[in-house]
Amino acid sequence: MGTRWFIGTALVVSCALFAASCGSSGGGGERAATTTAGNNGSGVTTTSASSTSAAATLAATPANIDEWEKLWATERAAVVKRIKDNKWGKSSDGKTLTGPEGFRIDLSKCGPGWSDTEGLTDTEIKIGGTSPQSGTAADFGYVAKASDPYFKYYAAKGLFKDSTGKTRTKVNFTYRDDVYDPAKTIPLVDELLDSEKVFALWVTGTPNGLKVYDKINSRCVPNPLLIGGSPAWGDPVNHPWTTGSLMSYGTEATIWMAFIEQHIDELTKGKNKAVVAGFVANSEFGATYESSFRAALAQSPVKDKIDFVTERVEITAPTVTDPMTTLASKNPDIFFTMSGGAQCPQIISEAANNGMKQKTKYLFMSSVCKSASYVGKAKVGGDGSAADGWYIVGGGLKDFNSDAMASDSFVAWGRKFLADNGLDYKASGNLGAGLYYAWTWVQALIIAGELDGGLTRTNLIVAQRAISGTNPLLLPGIKFNMNGNSDPYFVEGSDLSVWNAAQQGWVQKGNVIELSGKTKPCAWDLSAQACKG
């Protein structure tokens, strides 16, 4: 990330966090917008959202699944029209694929024997995935368990009917258990490519994805919605076949830094420096968080007032007592979680036990820990007070498991849908996340099928690179879009929320932070764990 990007973005974030000082409209309604000049004089828009009433934020959303379906059909038609009007897609000689904002793939490099339709039959779409179904990271495996019936549901409805007249009524989603071990991911991806010959691949985990995305891209196989927030997935030039799924951890770290800047006087009261503590997963996942935060810190005007301390631990470690005890001994003023999975509730419990919760001014969960199934009282014990007051930069996702979301039309439908398929949404927040991801897959597959030539690997990639729609599991005001080489991230907005133990839900603070199109593409340097340049 460049300094200019950080400074301008930090200003926008600061205005979103403290709307009153930036001309927010106060009581002007859920979608009232405020525009703030960035450091380069350009206007940047943030969208106002209620900080207290979940019901109010749902007022403008479709009332039932039929209305959602109608909305999505309209949005898909607009994407298809844009692609066709601009004549994006595979060239007549089959050598080049083009898309928005200079997006381009040289298909002649795909190698002999490459097929644009491998993994498809006239009636079936074959998708392969790697996902932890066992081990300490097995909770992430619920994503696949929720996505599988969602694929089947839309296939049975006949929505995968393409422009060639074929209707594919079956999605064969084959996912393999890699135990969240990148060494196991590699041979499983080879198996899915070479033996199963899947149409597209879906990989879970930043460490896992980084081990295989070079290979997948060299094979010209779609690798959409890689589960993880690494900026590495935002590289449409060098890795055009791979897209991410979440707000970038780099964006999250920038918002953290802006929060620190707004509170620096409080954090340093009575001393020269504020102690900022980070619990870092000892993998590429945690390293991405840490390097992103260090980059934001290096560019911050308050960097000399901050002492950043960390403890690293394997994300598969059964307990977090020792590293959390060490961090507590540093007497941090603010704490950030740079890990996920089962460690989310463990970190909350340890902070309550070792005195950090009582002494540390601000405690942050990572965005991947947003679900009530991680921070609710069923996980942290007792009345749930251990989690009370924890902050989160939540990536704009609705908390599918929160009681406050019960009246949301899509969440209500989704919970029943999962139950009808033998899945209890309370078991894991990743069941709701599975519907978030699967929604995007389904929309892109339908759009691709409506393009000239029908569903192909190249049409799927163009569909994703041009997509714009309303993801039903994002908070109002959070955009979901992608725009070729200029904007390779689906989500660049977030809420800042605080957990309320009495309500057992996240309460949003201030405005939605919407940075769509502001996160720069990233050519990832694996050795430096950072974007090049």
Side-chain angles (χ1 to χ4, degrees):
M1 294 178 217
T3 302
R4 183 179 180 187
W5 181 87
F6 171 77
I7 293 172
T9 301
L11 176 60
V12 177
V13 171
S14 296
C15 289
L17 296 179
F18 294 90
S21 65
C22 296
S24 175
S25 58
E30 290 307 315
R31 294 185 180 271
T34 62
T35 301
T36 305
N39 71 317
N40 60 359
S42 62
V44 181
T45 300
T46 61
T47 304
S48 174
S50 170
S51 62
T52 56
S53 174
T57 63
L58 304 175
T61 63
N64 53 56
I65 192 63
D66 291 335
E67 290 185 10
W68 278 111
E69 299 279 9
K70 184 177 180 180
L71 171 63
W72 299 332
T74 299
E75 292 173 338
R76 291 195 302 267
V79 175
V80 171
K81 183 178 186 304
R82 182 183 179 219
I83 293 171
K84 289 185 174 182
D85 286 351
N86 286 279
K87 303 186 186 315
W88 294 324
K90 191 163 62 173
S91 60
S92 58
D93 62 7
K95 294 181 179 180
T96 306
L97 179 67
T98 58
E101 299 295 328
F103 182 78
R104 182 183 180 90
I105 299 177
D106 182 354
L107 299 175
S108 66
K109 295 181 179 180
C110 293
W114 175 77
S115 170
D116 207 4
T117 57
E118 185 173 61
L120 298 177
T121 70
D122 287 352
T123 59
E124 179 181 282
I125 304 168
K126 198 169 190 179
I127 298 171
T130 59
S131 168
Q133 300 294 314
S134 61
T136 56
D139 191 75
F140 291 122
Y142 280 109
V143 169
K145 292 175 182 176
S147 299
D148 191 19
Y150 194 84
F151 289 145
K152 288 180 170 60
Y153 174 79
Y154 280 99
K157 284 172 68 77
L159 264 71
F160 301 129
K161 180 177 182 179
D162 68 30
S163 60
T164 66
K166 298 173 183 176
T167 301
R168 296 181 173 91
T169 56
K170 182 178 181 182
V171 174
N172 182 353
F173 180 30
T174 302
Y175 50 94
R176 301 280 192 255
D177 181 12
D178 64 3
V179 202
Y180 204 75
D181 181 351
K184 290 182 169 62
T185 305
I186 296 169
L188 292 176
V189 165
D190 288 341
E191 176 189 341
L192 292 166
L193 286 172
D194 298 328
S195 299
E196 297 292 337
K197 298 187 182 301
V198 296
F199 174 70
L201 276 164
W202 195 7
V203 177
T204 299
T206 294
N208 315 70
L210 288 171
K211 293 293 184 184
V212 296
Y213 83 144
D214 282 336
K215 175 190 298 181
I216 296 170
N217 275 265
S218 70
R219 297 281 294 268
C220 296
V221 176
N223 180 208
L225 292 166
L226 207 155
I227 298 177
S230 173
W233 318 144
D235 184 10
V237 174
N238 302 297
H239 296 90
W241 297 89
T242 296
T243 60
S245 53
L246 300 170
M247 176 186 66
S248 164
Y249 301 142
T251 303
E252 186 173 355
T254 300
I255 297 172
W256 286 346
M257 195 63 238
F259 184 92
I260 291 172
E261 290 173 3
Q262 287 285 348
H263 292 82
I264 194 63
D265 290 342
E266 176 189 2
L267 295 171
T268 56
K269 187 176 182 179
K271 56 185 178 179
N272 294 325
K273 288 190 174 185
V275 177
V276 178
F279 181 102
V280 184
N282 190 29
S283 67
E284 287 90 344
F285 167 43
T288 301
Y289 262 123
E290 183 180 357
S291 66
S292 297
F293 181 77
R294 288 189 184 278
L297 175 60
Q299 298 162 16
S300 173
V302 303
K303 63 183 178 182
D304 294 332
K305 296 183 178 182
I306 292 172
D307 183 15
F308 181 41
V309 298
T310 62
E311 282 291 311
R312 294 173 181 79
V313 64
E314 300 298 326
I315 197 170
T316 54
T319 65
V320 300
T321 302
D322 289 347
M324 285 297 292
T325 300
T326 300
L327 288 173
S329 72
K330 306 294 184 181
N331 295 313
D333 299 289
I334 188 166
F335 169 89
F336 294 106
T337 303
M338 302 181 186
S339 187
Q343 290 180 343
C344 306
Q346 291 176 343
I347 288 168
I348 290 171
S349 296
E350 290 297 338
N353 293 335
N354 64 27
M356 192 186 293
K357 184 178 191 302
Q358 293 75 26
K359 297 178 181 179
T360 304
K361 293 182 176 70
Y362 298 101
L363 299 154
F364 276 78
M365 275 283 100
S366 62
S367 59
V368 297
C369 299
K370 190 175 185 182
S371 171
S373 67
Y374 289 129
V375 300
K377 61 184 179 182
K379 286 292 185 180
V380 302
D383 61 0
S385 60
D388 194 52
W390 276 76
Y391 279 70
I392 197 166
V393 175
L397 285 169
K398 296 175 182 177
D399 183 357
F400 191 86
N401 290 59
S402 171
D403 291 344
M405 282 288 113
S407 62
D408 180 285
S409 59
F410 184 83
V411 170
W413 177 87
R415 290 176 178 180
K416 182 178 184 303
F417 172 80
L418 292 172
D420 290 345
N421 285 277
L423 298 167
D424 180 2
Y425 78 90
K426 295 179 181 179
S428 171
N430 276 313
L431 287 167
L435 300 184
Y436 163 79
Y437 299 119
W439 175 86
T440 310
W441 270 97
V442 167
Q443 299 305 306
L445 287 167
I446 296 172
I447 290 168
E450 294 178 357
L451 300 177
D452 294 341
L455 180 59
T456 61
R457 286 170 163 172
T458 50
N459 276 346
L460 178 61
I461 292 301
V462 171
Q464 284 211 310
R465 295 292 179 182
I467 203 167
S468 180
T470 305
N471 191 308
L473 285 170
L474 289 174
L475 294 167
I478 301 294
K479 295 180 180 179
F480 189 93
N481 53 39
M482 193 174 280
N483 193 26
N485 282 2
S486 68
D487 183 5
Y489 300 95
F490 283 122
V491 176
E492 297 166 81
S494 184
D495 58 301
L496 175 72
S497 298
V498 180
W499 182 256
N500 185 301
Q503 297 179 19
Q504 286 294 289
W506 293 102
V507 177
Q508 188 174 308
K509 309 293 286 186
N511 289 347
V512 161
I513 304 160
E514 179 49 63
L515 303 171
S516 186
K518 303 300 178 185
T519 310
K520 302 302 182 185
C522 170
W524 191 248
D525 184 336
L526 188 59
S527 61
Q529 295 292 333
C531 303
K532 296 176 182 177

